[in-house]
Amino acid sequence: MSTYRFYTSLSKLCLYLAAAGIVIAQYIPDHQARILEELDHIFVDIGGRNDAQFATPITPCSKYRDVFRGVDNNTFGRQSSAQWIRAAFHDFATANIKDGTGGIDGSIAYELDRKENAGEALKDSLFFFSFFVSAKLSGICWSPQLINKTTDPLIVADCIAAGAAISIGACGGPYVPLRGGRIDATEAGPPGVCEPETDLKTTLNSFEAAGFNQADTIALTACGHTMGGVRHATFPSIVNELAVSANNLDGRETFDETTAVFDVKQVTEYLDGTGNKGGPLVTTANQTLRSDLRLFSSDNNQTMKRLGSSAEEFSSVCSRLIARMIDTVPRGVTLTPAIEPALLKLVDTTLTLNWNGDLTLSSLVRACAPLHSGMKDQRTDQQQYINKAGAPPAPTSVQVSLTGLYGNPEAQNQVEAKSDPVTDVGTTIFGQSRYYNLSLDFPGGTGLSGISILDKKFPLQDSLFVAYTLSSISPGLAAFGANFKTPIVWTLNITAAFRTTYPTPLSLTATFAVPIFRPNILNPTIDTSNTLNLARIGAAGPFTIYSAITTITATGAGISASSVDISGKNTKAKAEFFKIFRLFFNG
């Protein structure tokens, strides 16, 4: 793939991310909800309409995505889905629950030069995850110890956890609950990830420090080794060079015969002595490097026999243990509740106005049916229509009603949000989703406090929002791709609308959050030191318009994840997390 095509594909990816993050009509109530909003998109929307593109490297699960070159290449013998699981294991492995340190904290980004983290898997994973970090996922959203720093860490750790959960759920495995709110480390943690030559006592002591007993350790390792394998290029003492071929350039030997499926096969092949017999860490000629064999047989195979008793037992144990693993975080970090996709959700919600003060509310409405047994189901019979046996087909439209500024339903402002049964269908790890296209025009004097869809109410506000069709960025999209890794100066015209029903501030303050990508560290930081005063420039109906021009120095990669918050003195109104990248498409 040419450099142009690579960056063009990245620009499409960033457009998906920008669209997912536009919240002009603000309806997210708190910081934890903002994190869940962002994680919901990458965890739930993995195909079709509104695809978050997060699962692209693991679709299909056998695929290897060379993220540095932007191409799929299955000749290496690598597998992105297995790499993501390995990234989570290696980030977690040095946790010490007694000391309250380590776990899933993104410290792996500073540890890639260690022998214990050899190979391309971790670099590939972290580089891809870096495109999904944002201020919404960042600890600056809600963590007191991070507020007011100049450069705060973005949450690669949440992406590492999401990568493991999605790889498992999308590749035939069980649902693994995903929480958000991790805080990235700012330096390397202690060494100590177990290696193939690590003795049994050291291995068990290491996992015990992380909160896992012997049976947990055996099972967690088996769960982690049901996908992927070991490569001669990284471990020549384990895998013979005879494994290298034209379609297996790294010389990979897989753990089982269904390497692209998260299943019980590795366990049963180990117990039965069939297929790959548990993989190269069981069968390698060098007995010192048979780490899986030492561990699996350490309790006379009792844990492996229980795991292999049924596919259901394997899935249940793996779901529980991997959830514990990714929820292991440093002391003081508070995780959000697990993501439970709402049946109805607003996506890409925007509010625009013209110079007469007339407004247009646009959004997608996502409807999905959660299918796993542990999920709360609060749907009405009217709403149980997607992927439900015996249910009627999903309706082609739903009625949307606007609630005006003072909480009064506006009967004249009702529209049908329509859905195309072919193009407006999405894929989630929970089943199918359906999207309805909403566009509602109304006078500025009516105001906005929310909308109702079926029996679900969504609180919204128009007291302060970014007027993105009146804002701009230059240079344009071509410069984004051409300067993806090179910092350049971007000129921004930020325009905001403030409803004059409220006391009107003399000026507004825009605070920018700009990711900073650092050499040799695949864990960006975010710079929040750039602020801008927006001055009054006129009026549009019942709105006062504020605007200002500023410049930001950032790479194309940095501008793709940059955002702006707008607030004013003596007013509680805020416009939060408007993604700058959206301005490339405001025409």
Side-chain angles (χ1 to χ4, degrees):
M1 176 180 281
S2 68
T3 300
Y4 172 78
R5 288 176 61 202
F6 172 44
Y7 291 128
T8 300
S9 66
L10 283 174
S11 70
K12 292 179 180 177
L13 165 63
C14 293
L15 174 57
Y16 280 107
L17 300 180
I22 302 170
V23 187
I24 299 175
Q26 189 71 33
Y27 65 93
I28 301 173
D30 57 48
H31 296 311
Q32 283 206 350
R34 291 199 297 180
I35 296 170
L36 286 171
E37 171 81 6
E38 195 83 341
L39 282 177
D40 173 278
H41 183 46
I42 65 176
F43 185 50
V44 178
D45 302 322
I46 62 171
R49 183 73 191 269
N50 193 42
D51 184 356
Q53 303 290 291
F54 191 85
T56 298
I58 63 168
T59 306
C61 295
S62 59
K63 185 171 79 174
Y64 169 65
R65 179 72 171 177
D66 186 342
V67 294
F68 288 97
R69 295 177 177 84
V71 295
D72 297 339
N73 190 340
N74 286 345
T75 64
F76 283 111
R78 303 174 189 173
Q79 183 179 334
S80 295
S81 55
Q83 289 183 337
W84 288 8
I85 296 172
R86 184 170 185 246
F89 267 77
H90 279 241
D91 198 31
F92 149 82
T94 57
N96 188 308
I97 60 172
K98 181 179 179 181
D99 295 340
T101 58
I104 305 294
D105 63 359
S107 62
I108 193 72
Y110 303 91
E111 302 161 2
L112 298 178
D113 58 347
R114 295 176 180 172
K115 175 177 172 290
E116 63 194 36
N117 295 321
E120 302 303 313
L122 306 181
K123 296 175 184 177
D124 284 344
S125 302
L126 291 173
F127 180 73
F128 181 76
F129 295 157
S130 69
F131 295 110
F132 289 83
V133 295
S134 67
K136 191 182 285 189
L137 288 180
S138 173
I140 64 171
C141 291
W142 57 274
S143 177
Q145 63 264 44
L146 293 179
I147 291 176
N148 296 325
K149 285 189 175 182
T150 300
T151 53
D152 293 315
L154 295 169
I155 300 307
V156 167
D158 274 349
C159 292
I160 292 173
I166 292 171
S167 286
I168 293 166
C171 297
Y175 163 74
V176 177
L178 177 65
R179 308 174 193 275
R182 293 163 188 81
I183 297 176
D184 279 353
T186 57
E187 59 186 5
V193 178
C194 295
E195 300 182 68
E197 63 269 23
T198 303
D199 63 80
L200 178 62
K201 181 179 179 181
T202 301
T203 297
L204 293 177
N205 287 342
S206 176
F207 278 84
E208 183 180 14
F212 288 73
N213 62 27
Q214 182 179 9
D216 293 339
T217 302
I218 294 170
L220 185 63
T221 302
C223 295
H225 285 174
T226 184
M227 298 176 68
V230 181
R231 298 180 296 120
H232 169 78
T234 306
F235 296 100
S237 298
I238 297 176
V239 179
N240 191 284
E241 64 181 350
L242 294 176
V244 177
S245 68
N247 292 315
N248 190 10
L249 296 175
D250 284 352
R252 181 179 68 163
E253 289 186 0
T254 60
F255 290 120
D256 65 28
E257 291 186 327
T258 56
T259 186
V261 181
F262 192 96
D263 60 14
V264 70
K265 195 73 171 176
Q266 191 232 11
V267 177
T268 57
E269 288 182 1
Y270 164 77
L271 292 172
D272 299 340
T274 57
N276 292 359
K277 301 178 181 180
L281 296 178
V282 171
T283 62
T284 180
N286 188 331
Q287 295 188 22
T288 303
L289 303 178
R290 293 179 180 176
S291 55
D292 278 3
L293 178 61
R294 281 194 300 275
L295 182 59
F296 294 165
S297 63
S298 65
D299 66 351
N300 295 316
N301 289 322
Q302 293 305 305
T303 298
M304 293 295 279
K305 289 177 181 177
R306 285 193 297 273
L307 270 182
S309 62
S310 70
E312 292 76 17
E313 175 69 10
F314 179 81
S315 291
S316 175
V317 171
C318 289
S319 174
R320 173 174 55 84
L321 291 179
I322 291 175
R324 277 179 54 196
M325 180 186 78
I326 63 177
D327 285 352
T328 300
V329 293
R331 184 176 295 134
V333 175
T334 301
L335 297 180
T336 69
I339 292 171
E340 295 188 356
L343 172 74
L344 291 175
K345 175 188 174 183
L346 298 185
V347 176
D348 187 10
T349 306
T350 63
L351 190 63
T352 59
L353 85 165
N354 60 27
W355 285 105
N356 293 322
D358 299 323
L359 298 173
T360 298
L361 176 69
S362 302
S363 185
L364 285 177
V365 180
R366 186 189 75 187
C368 67
L371 300 179
H372 72 84
S373 60
M375 180 163 287
K376 296 177 182 178
D377 190 345
Q378 299 176 342
R379 294 170 290 164
T380 68
D381 289 340
Q382 180 185 13
Q383 297 169 327
Q384 295 179 13
Y385 48 75
I386 299 180
N387 275 13
K388 188 174 178 65
T396 58
S397 65
V398 293
Q399 188 176 69
V400 181
S401 301
L402 179 142
T403 301
L405 181 62
Y406 301 103
N408 299 316
E410 300 289 336
Q412 71 274 24
N413 289 310
Q414 295 182 352
V415 297
E416 293 291 316
K418 296 182 178 181
S419 176
D420 186 290
V422 176
T423 61
D424 289 331
V425 175
T427 302
T428 85
I429 64 172
F430 305 100
Q432 192 184 86
S433 58
R434 187 75 176 262
Y435 287 88
Y436 297 83
N437 301 279
L438 167 63
S439 181
L440 198 160
D441 300 323
F442 57 100
T446 299
L448 175 68
S449 65
I451 59 174
S452 296
I453 306 171
L454 297 178
D455 59 355
K456 174 69 174 177
K457 296 183 178 180
F458 295 90
L460 300 169
Q461 62 89 7
D462 63 356
S463 56
L464 174 59
F465 58 94
V466 176
Y468 81 94
T469 56
L470 305 180
S471 304
S472 64
I473 184 172
S474 64
L477 187 60
F480 159 76
N483 297 279
F484 194 75
K485 295 184 178 180
T486 304
I488 65 169
V489 176
W490 305 87
T491 300
L492 304 176
N493 176 357
I494 301 297
T495 302
F498 185 93
R499 179 172 284 280
T500 52
T501 305
Y502 306 97
T504 306
L506 294 176
S507 65
L508 299 174
T509 300
T511 302
F512 296 89
V514 182
I516 306 297
F517 292 82
R518 299 165 291 173
N520 303 318
I521 299 178
L522 297 177
N523 184 358
T525 62
I526 186 166
D527 184 358
T528 57
S529 63
N530 192 335
T531 61
L532 174 68
N533 286 329
L534 306 184
R536 296 181 188 178
I537 62 168
F543 296 95
T544 301
I545 306 301
Y546 298 78
S547 187
I549 296 175
T550 190
T551 59
I552 289 178
T553 300
T555 63
I559 209 70
S560 71
S562 295
S563 61
V564 62
D565 293 349
I566 299 178
S567 60
K569 290 183 178 180
N570 303 319
T571 178
K572 294 182 180 180
K574 292 182 179 180
E576 296 182 306
F577 196 67
F578 178 85
K579 284 197 170 182
I580 301 300
F581 194 81
R582 181 64 179 87
L583 297 180
F584 286 122
F585 304 91
N586 68 354

